[in-house]
Amino acid sequence: MELILLGPPGAGKGTQSKLLETRYGVAQISTGDMLRAEVKSGSAIGLEAKSIMDSGGLVSDALIIRMIGERIARPDCANGFILDGFPRTVPQAEALDELLHTTKVDLDGVIELKVDEAVLVARISGRFTCAKCGAGYHDLFKRPRHEGVCDVCGSGDFSRRPDDKAETVHARLEAYNAQTAPILPYYRAKGRLHSVDGMADMDAVEAQIEAVLRKIGVPAP
Ligand code: ADP
Ligand code: ADP
Ligand code: ZN
């Protein structure tokens, strides 16, 4: 299965792609997570990306395209992958087409999570993750089953993204509208775009995605 999950910041791409990763045994590829790992390690890529990420803008296409090329060539992608947060610009979408063409991989489809802007701000403001295993939580919508303890790994160490603060969220939504939304018509024209209602609760969104997967011929695991 080769799938793109598309949507604005806070739409639920990470939440849903992690569920699909577990269910289908394919690799979840989040360019945001990859960049945050580069920042944490203090690498050259991390140094280049950090200030841009902190300001809510987009990192250069060249850097991202190189990163993705290396990532999907790794053995854990042999079974397929879900792209979360990539492509984010039309040049990135074009570069992906070329990459898939040369590696003879066929994209199953692009699923767009549609969520109103007011809800996105609420989702981003309450977001936190387990610092150890990366499991995602929300202050209101998904608290750990036992207060202060990660459901998945039992760690008590949680973190919040610096770019999830109110000032930056606005810039990120603008970047989405100006630079990422134009890839919707790009995939629509190719007959690849499928939209689901991302306003629904997590289980209902998951069920809608499963319905799209059946429709486009991806068998249930
Ligand atoms: P979210 O899913 O909440 O929008 P991400 O974790 O995908 O956030 O991305 C965080 C930041 O990393 C973005 O605001 C941007 O600066 C950078 N980034 C991630 N993916 C890309 C990409 N494909 N192209 C350019 N910048 C990216
Ligand atoms: P993205 O990767 O698109 O930026 P996330 O998957 O990180 O979005 O979700 C943003 C926040 O909203 C997280 O705190 C997550 O727990 C929460 N969330 C995700 N999907 C839903 C949903 N359907 N309903 C309510 N909250 C959600
Ligand atoms: Zn954990």
Side-chain angles (χ1 to χ4, degrees), residues 4 6 83 86-90 92-97 100 107 109-111 180-194:
I4 297 175
L6 203 63
L83 297 173
F86 173 90
R88 243 179 168 93
T89 63
V90 171
Q92 288 182 19
E94 289 167 347
L96 177 65
D97 275 348
L100 295 179
L107 191 65
V110 179
I111 301 183
T180 307
I183 66 182
L184 295 169
Y186 177 87
Y187 286 119
R188 193 176 292 122
K190 292 174 180 287
R192 292 297 171 142
L193 186 69
H194 308 273

Side-chain angles (χ1 to χ4, degrees), residues 129-135 137 150-155 157-158:
T129 53
C130 170
K132 192 170 166 207
C133 76
Y137 296 97
C150 175
D151 295 349
V152 179
C153 76
S155 164
D157 194 9
F158 296 93

Side-chain angles (χ1 to χ4, degrees), residues 24 43 51 63 136 167 174:
Y24 288 83
S43 70
S51 58
L63 190 160
E167 308 89 270
E174 267 185 1

Side-chain angles (χ1 to χ4, degrees), residues 68-131:
I68 280 287
E70 285 166 14
R71 181 67 189 86
I72 65 179
R74 285 202 221 143
D76 67 327
C77 291
N79 218 3
F81 51 77
I82 302 156
L83 297 173
D84 159 9
F86 173 90
R88 243 179 168 93
T89 63
V90 171
Q92 288 182 19
E94 289 167 347
L96 177 65
D97 275 348
E98 240 180 80
L99 202 63
L100 295 179
H101 184 76
T102 47
T103 51
K104 297 191 167 55
V105 170
D106 201 24
L107 191 65
D108 290 299
V110 179
I111 301 183
E112 177 202 9
L113 302 175
K114 286 175 91 98
V115 178
D116 294 349
E117 208 148 299
V119 172
L120 294 174
V121 175
R123 286 207 187 154
I124 294 169
S125 327
R127 165 160 64 188
F128 64 98
T129 53
C130 170

Side-chain angles (χ1 to χ4, degrees), residues 8-10 13 30-33 35-36 52-53 56-59 64 84-88 92 127 161 163 172:
K13 304 180 296 296
S30 157
T31 43
D33 285 348
L35 289 169
R36 280 184 288 278
I52 301 168
M53 293 170 78
L58 295 185
V59 173
I64 294 285
D84 159 9
F86 173 90
R88 243 179 168 93
Q92 288 182 19
R127 165 160 64 188
R161 282 167 46 180
D163 60 339
R172 286 166 58 203

